[in-house]
């Protein structure tokens, strides 16, 4: 709703202006002099000010000058019974959006106000587009800051991203957990022709089959117990944008059939719905599973795989990028310092040797989590070798005297080590890991995120 300030010392004229504007559902604030109007503006905002030219003790031109100096986002319409061409020119030169000579009809006033309002909306739209563009550029820059590395395997990934980002083909990102698949997916989206549209993510492993179907396709009110209102699905929300299907290897055979239909035909129905909806999305999927093995054991459909795997991108593990550990660590040290309001800490060359000789089952995410923890708990400016070994090496931690630690730190390290050992035993298969630990898969995902192992 447009907010308009009216400053007119003639009571009859002022009431007429107010009545005309209120018929257009504008919110109007009126005053008989400039002093009261300026007091009002100190604590209130308006979009447009309509000012009479001849007023006391502050004239309309003086009031215009003050408004353009102190409240320059407010547009001004000058009205006067003494108008001439020169007066109008002077008002426009001093910042007025328009000049209207008395007497004028209510329709003429409304037309002028609407014109100013439309121009304001155009300017605001342009500012929003500029701001949105700056935001997208900053997001791309931030993502590129996160995607750090000089190793040949990693730089080849970035080159491939530049080649495929502007295309429409589906992309399948593979690699171990924590290698940066979601960051790569976002980078592809932000460099694509769909960058100004939505990037929608779904973690397929975090939801059971029924919930996943509702998340992907939406549901109608009353479709199932608890469906108290209609809900849009991710395919609908991501229309004309990008849909990122994380952990695609975890979806059930029944969901694979439904997903295949959407990819092939670009249409679907909500759960409990009868209307067929169209969707136009670019799908980027990700998995830490060997889908070729899953297909050979009839757990993943070949036709769906080939639909998703038009452009395969395999992300190397941190163990395959050991040359990048130092530059990544330095970045995470700076990031932790900013986040936790600390001085930037350092790690000795021996410390870097320890990091390079560790397997990092949680990959980059585990490294980031580790570096933040070391930065926080380290007393000195340099994080020493003993502290790194204690928080990193499972064998050393197993024999370490936990009596030197607080209860929270002891439990943290013990639980993390148990999960790391279970991941190795299960060859990084999450539902097998959960069975070894005798916990639910959803609980495992929570703990993997907590310990930086996801």
């Amino acid at each position: 709703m447009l907010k308009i300030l009216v400053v007119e010392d003639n009571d009859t004229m002022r009431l007429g202006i107010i009545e005309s504007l209120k018929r257009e559902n504008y919110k109007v604030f009126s005053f008989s002099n400039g002093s009261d109007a300026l007091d009002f503006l100190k604590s209130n905002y308006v979009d447009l000010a309509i000012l009479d030219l001849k007023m006391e003790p502050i004239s309309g031109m003086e009031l215009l000058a003050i408004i353009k100096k102190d409240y320059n986002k407010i547009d001004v319409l000058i009205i006067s019974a003494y108008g001439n061409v020169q007066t109008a020119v002077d008002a426009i030169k001093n910042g007025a959006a328009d000049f209207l000579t008395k007497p004028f009809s209510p329709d003429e006033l409304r037309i002028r106000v609407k014109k100013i309002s439309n121009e304001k909306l155009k300017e605001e739209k342009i500012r929003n587009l500029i701001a949105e563009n700056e935001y997208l550029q900053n997001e791309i820059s931030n993502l590129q800051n996160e995607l750090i590395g000089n190793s040949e395997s990693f730089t080849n990934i970035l080159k491939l991203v530049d080649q495929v980002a502007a295309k429409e083909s589906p992309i399948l990102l593979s690699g171990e957990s924590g290698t940066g698949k979601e960051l790569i997916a976002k980078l592809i989206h932000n460099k694509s022709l769909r960058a100004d549209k939505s990037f929608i993510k779904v973690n397929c492993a975090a939801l059971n089959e029924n919930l996943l179907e509702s998340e992907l396709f939406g549901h109608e009110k009353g479709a199932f117990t608890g469906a108290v209102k209609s809900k849009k699905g991710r395919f609908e929300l991501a229309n004309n944008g990008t849909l990122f299907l994380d952990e695609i290897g975890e979806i059930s055979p029944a969901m694979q059939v439904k997903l295949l239909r959407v990819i092939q035909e670009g249409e679907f129905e909500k759960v409990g719905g009868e209307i067929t909806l169209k969707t136009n999305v670019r799908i980027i999927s990700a998995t830490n599973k060997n889908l070729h093995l899953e297909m050979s054991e009839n757990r993943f459909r070949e036709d769906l795989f080939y639909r998703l795997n038009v452009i395969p991108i395999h992300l190397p593990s941190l163990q395959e990028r050991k040359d990048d550990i130092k530059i990544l660590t330095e970045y995470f040290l700076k990031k932790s310092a900013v986040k936790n309001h600390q001085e930037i800490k350092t790690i000795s060359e021996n410390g870097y040797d320890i990091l390079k000789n560790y397997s990092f089952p949680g990959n980059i995410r585990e490294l980031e989590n580790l570096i933040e923890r070391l930065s926080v708990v380290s007393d000195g400016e340099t994080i020493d070798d003993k502290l790194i070994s204690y928080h990193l090496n499972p064998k050393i931690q197993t024999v370490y005297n936990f009596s030197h630690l607080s209860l929270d730190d002891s439990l943290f390290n013990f639980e993390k080590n148990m999960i790391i050992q279970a991941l190795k035993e299960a060859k990084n298969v999450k539902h097998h890991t959960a069975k070894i630990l005798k916990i639910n898969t959803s609980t495992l995902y929570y703990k993997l995120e907590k310990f930086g192992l996801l």
Side-chain angles (χ1 to χ4, degrees):
M1 180 187 292
L2 199 70
K3 295 180 180 180
I4 301 176
L5 174 70
V6 176
V7 189
E8 166 64 69
D9 57 2
N10 183 291
D11 293 343
T12 303
M13 176 61 71
R14 185 172 66 256
L15 290 172
I17 293 172
I18 294 169
E19 182 64 26
S20 296
L21 296 175
K22 284 188 174 180
R23 287 182 181 178
E24 296 297 312
N25 294 319
Y26 298 134
K27 191 165 186 178
V28 183
F29 308 93
S30 63
F31 298 93
S32 61
N33 62 80
S35 298
D36 290 344
L38 289 175
D39 287 339
F40 172 81
L41 287 176
K42 288 177 183 177
S43 56
N44 296 275
Y45 174 79
V46 296
D47 301 286
L48 171 66
I50 299 175
L51 312 178
D52 185 27
L53 187 65
K54 299 289 185 179
M55 293 187 296
E56 296 291 341
I58 303 175
S59 71
M61 291 294 276
E62 291 172 329
L63 193 54
L64 168 65
I66 295 171
I67 288 175
K68 300 316 290 184
K69 177 177 178 291
D70 297 335
Y71 312 98
N72 61 357
K73 289 186 179 180
I74 299 175
D75 288 315
V76 177
L77 169 61
I78 294 289
I79 57 175
S80 177
Y82 308 96
N84 55 48
V85 173
Q86 188 56 50
T87 305
V89 170
D90 290 342
I92 300 298
K93 279 185 177 180
N94 289 325
D98 206 346
F99 186 96
L100 189 56
T101 303
K102 300 177 185 177
F104 48 79
S105 68
D107 285 341
E108 188 175 3
L109 174 65
R110 288 193 287 265
I111 289 170
R112 297 294 184 96
V113 169
K114 190 170 183 179
K115 178 185 174 185
I116 294 172
S117 175
N118 288 340
E119 289 297 323
K120 194 177 189 72
L121 287 173
K122 286 180 185 177
E123 291 175 5
E124 186 176 349
K125 187 175 182 180
I126 292 170
R127 284 196 300 270
N128 288 341
L129 287 171
I130 292 171
E132 186 177 345
N133 182 61
E134 289 176 352
Y135 169 79
L136 290 172
Q137 292 301 320
N138 288 335
E139 189 168 279
I140 292 173
S141 177
N142 291 336
L143 281 170
Q144 289 173 329
N145 287 338
E146 291 280 342
L147 294 164
I148 296 169
N150 297 321
S151 62
E152 183 179 0
S153 60
F154 184 69
T155 53
N156 285 339
I157 294 295
L158 296 183
K159 289 177 184 177
L160 183 55
V161 166
D162 286 337
Q163 286 180 306
V164 304
K167 308 300 187 292
E168 290 294 309
S169 304
I171 294 173
L172 177 61
L173 304 172
S174 60
E176 296 176 8
S177 293
T179 50
K181 294 189 287 292
E182 184 176 346
L183 288 176
I184 291 292
K186 287 181 179 177
L187 184 64
I188 292 170
H189 170 75
N190 288 335
K191 288 190 169 188
S192 74
L193 301 178
R194 298 171 180 256
D196 60 334
K197 305 300 181 184
S198 299
F199 175 87
I200 303 292
K201 173 192 172 184
V202 183
N203 188 332
C204 300
L207 302 167
N208 64 38
E209 184 175 330
N210 292 332
L211 287 175
L212 181 58
E213 183 176 6
S214 174
E215 281 296 312
L216 289 176
F217 309 127
H219 62 253
E220 296 292 356
K221 180 179 178 181
F224 50 83
T225 303
V228 295
K229 61 180 180 180
S230 180
K231 176 186 174 181
K232 289 184 178 181
R234 303 300 175 94
F235 271 100
E236 191 172 357
L237 293 171
N239 192 36
N240 296 319
T242 302
L243 181 62
F244 177 50
L245 300 175
D246 199 10
E247 302 288 359
I248 191 68
E250 300 292 339
I251 65 174
S252 69
M255 276 303 303
Q256 291 177 34
V257 174
K258 293 175 182 178
L259 183 58
L260 180 62
R261 181 204 169 198
V262 185
I263 296 172
Q264 287 178 330
E265 302 174 17
E267 58 184 35
F268 63 95
E269 290 83 36
K270 290 184 177 182
V271 177
E274 298 178 354
I275 299 174
T276 298
L277 302 174
K278 294 286 186 180
T279 185
N280 173 20
V281 299
R282 185 188 194 179
I283 291 180
I284 302 176
S285 48
T287 182
N288 59 11
K289 283 189 170 184
N290 182 339
L291 293 187
H292 289 283
L293 177 62
E294 295 295 305
M295 286 189 293
S296 68
E297 297 182 359
N298 297 318
R299 289 194 294 266
F300 201 88
R301 295 179 63 96
E302 287 190 20
D303 46 6
L304 177 59
F305 173 78
Y306 292 119
R307 286 283 183 176
L308 296 173
N309 195 45
V310 177
I311 300 176
I313 300 179
H314 179 75
L315 273 64
S317 67
L318 189 53
Q319 199 164 20
E320 299 172 273
R321 298 176 51 192
K322 286 191 177 292
D323 291 342
D324 290 333
I325 286 179
K326 185 170 184 178
I327 190 173
L328 284 165
T329 299
E330 290 172 347
Y331 173 73
F332 291 140
L333 285 168
K334 293 176 184 176
K335 186 176 178 180
S336 177
V338 172
K339 177 181 177 180
N340 295 298
H341 311 290
Q342 294 177 306
E343 293 295 322
I344 300 174
K345 298 189 177 182
T346 58
I347 291 178
S348 65
E349 287 302 318
N350 287 339
Y352 280 117
D353 288 339
I354 293 172
L355 293 176
K356 286 181 180 179
N357 289 324
Y358 179 64
S359 61
F360 283 104
N363 290 292
I364 298 170
R365 192 177 287 113
E366 183 185 1
L367 175 63
E368 180 176 7
N369 179 279
L370 170 73
I371 296 305
E372 180 175 353
R373 186 169 177 79
L374 291 171
S375 297
V376 171
V377 302
S378 174
D379 293 328
E381 294 180 2
T382 301
I383 300 169
D384 62 42
D385 306 352
K386 183 179 179 182
L387 188 66
I388 295 172
S389 296
Y390 163 66
H391 283 279
L392 192 58
N393 194 309
K395 293 180 181 178
I396 293 176
Q397 290 181 29
T398 302
V399 300
Y400 196 88
N401 183 355
F402 285 94
S403 63
H404 289 81
L405 298 174
S406 68
L407 178 62
D408 285 344
D409 282 345
S410 298
L411 291 172
F412 181 95
N413 286 282
F414 182 76
E415 189 175 4
K416 179 180 177 181
N417 289 333
M418 283 192 67
I419 293 172
I420 289 172
Q421 294 303 323
L423 282 167
K424 289 180 178 178
E425 186 178 339
K427 296 182 180 178
N428 216 34
V429 178
K430 301 300 187 295
H431 61 275
H432 290 165
T433 305
K435 284 182 180 179
I436 292 170
L437 295 169
K438 297 180 180 179
I439 59 177
N440 294 329
T441 305
S442 58
T443 303
L444 175 63
Y445 272 95
Y446 164 75
K447 291 183 179 294
L448 289 173
E449 186 172 358
K450 172 185 174 183
F451 295 115
L453 300 173
L454 188 60

